[in-house]
Amino acid sequence: MPLRERRKVTGVEKIGPYTLVRIDQGNLDPGIPGQFFMVEAPGRVLPRPFSLCLAEAGELAFLIDAIGPGTLAIAEVSVGDQLHVFGPIGNGYRLDVERPVLVGGGIGVAPFPFTRSVLGAGTPVVLGFRNAHFAEAAALLPGAEVVIDPVLVTEAIPDDHDILACGPEPMLHAILRDHPTAQLAWEAPMACGYGACFGCVVEIDGTLKRLCLEGPVIGGAPPVFPAVPA
Ligand SMILES: Cc1cc2nc3c(=O)[nH]c(=O)nc-3n(C[C@H](O)[C@H](O)[C@H](O)COP(=O)(O)OP(=O)(O)OC[C@H]3O[C@@H](n4cnc5c(N)ncnc54)[C@H](O)[C@@H]3O)c2cc1C
Ligand code: FES
């Protein structure tokens, strides 16, 4: 059940180039792995979407890749600050699969510590990063197989597994080519997260749909993103 709450920051930790921001859980439900939360930093007008990275000991945590003003404002919070959080929302991964493998690229590692805590510590994980600094995030998933560019994470996926993946668009398309039943978490810019703004509209199976409602996790045909004006 999604809730909107203002929660206190309980920890801020650098992990390679990323920042792990912990908040006091309050009444928030962690939801299903792959669902997301809209998180708004103090003084900002628009929230940003984030996967839940960890849910443990009365805390929720988000792993932030600070790429612009919204993510930067969240990565720069201090313990004791308050974040406005809304979720869990969207469609998560189906977990009733026989042989799951978690496949993450870059910041796509974010949902998998929580996912593995639900599926079981023995769930195999393969992660790909652009260099060793980014690969420090693999510490969140002990025992994961880690590859670094130019080796591609798709080369490390074990055979005969049910793929749950999150990562950059080219990685998701490459997985889909060889594994049409993979469950993939897609991204689009999202301003509201609950179907009101139409900012996240993509084409799925020939129909325009809002990714915040139909996704972010989709199995089968990939969404078609609107062309970005040059
Ligand atoms: C369901 C979902 C879960 C996500 N989980 C995480 C997470 O766990 N950790 C994390 O660090 N990030 C996550 N993201 C991405 C994150 O929400 C965006 O990076 C953030 O919204 C960018 O905001 P900004 O203000 O920092 O940058 P902006 O200035 O808004 O954007 C910087 C650049 O990134 C592009 N961009 C912005 N948002 C997106 C997007 N969603 N998809 C593709 N391009 C985009 C912009 O066009 C621009 O070029 C997730 C996104 C979605 C949709
Ligand atoms: S984010 Fe507003 S409609 Fe999807």
Side-chain angles (χ1 to χ4, degrees), residues 103 154 157 163 165 170-180 182 184:
V103 181
T154 43
I157 298 175
I163 296 173
M171 177 194 115
L172 299 182
H173 282 287
I175 290 176
L176 202 53
R177 269 195 299 276
D178 294 333
H179 309 276
L184 310 174

Side-chain angles (χ1 to χ4, degrees), residues 83-135:
L83 289 175
H84 193 269
V85 182
F86 170 55
I89 43 183
N91 291 322
Y93 295 105
R94 274 186 301 98
L95 302 180
D96 60 343
V97 292
E98 265 179 37
R99 299 187 72 199
V101 58
L102 311 180
V103 181
I107 189 61
V109 63
F112 292 139
F114 174 48
T115 309
R116 188 156 75 166
S117 75
V118 175
L119 282 172
T123 307
V125 183
V126 290
L127 302 172
F129 296 97
R130 69 178 71 158
N131 61 40
H133 184 45
F134 283 79

Side-chain angles (χ1 to χ4, degrees), residues 38-105:
M38 297 300 287
V39 181
E40 190 182 313
R44 303 266 329 157
V45 180
L46 284 178
R48 293 286 187 263
F50 296 96
S51 313
L52 183 64
C53 182
L54 285 167
E56 57 189 16
E59 291 180 331
L60 302 182
F62 302 98
L63 187 67
I64 312 292
D65 184 11
I67 60 159
T71 42
L72 201 57
I74 295 168
E76 286 178 341
V77 292
S78 304
V79 171
D81 285 348
Q82 299 231 320
L83 289 175
H84 193 269
V85 182
F86 170 55
I89 43 183
N91 291 322
Y93 295 105
R94 274 186 301 98
L95 302 180
D96 60 343
V97 292
E98 265 179 37
R99 299 187 72 199
V101 58
L102 311 180
V103 181

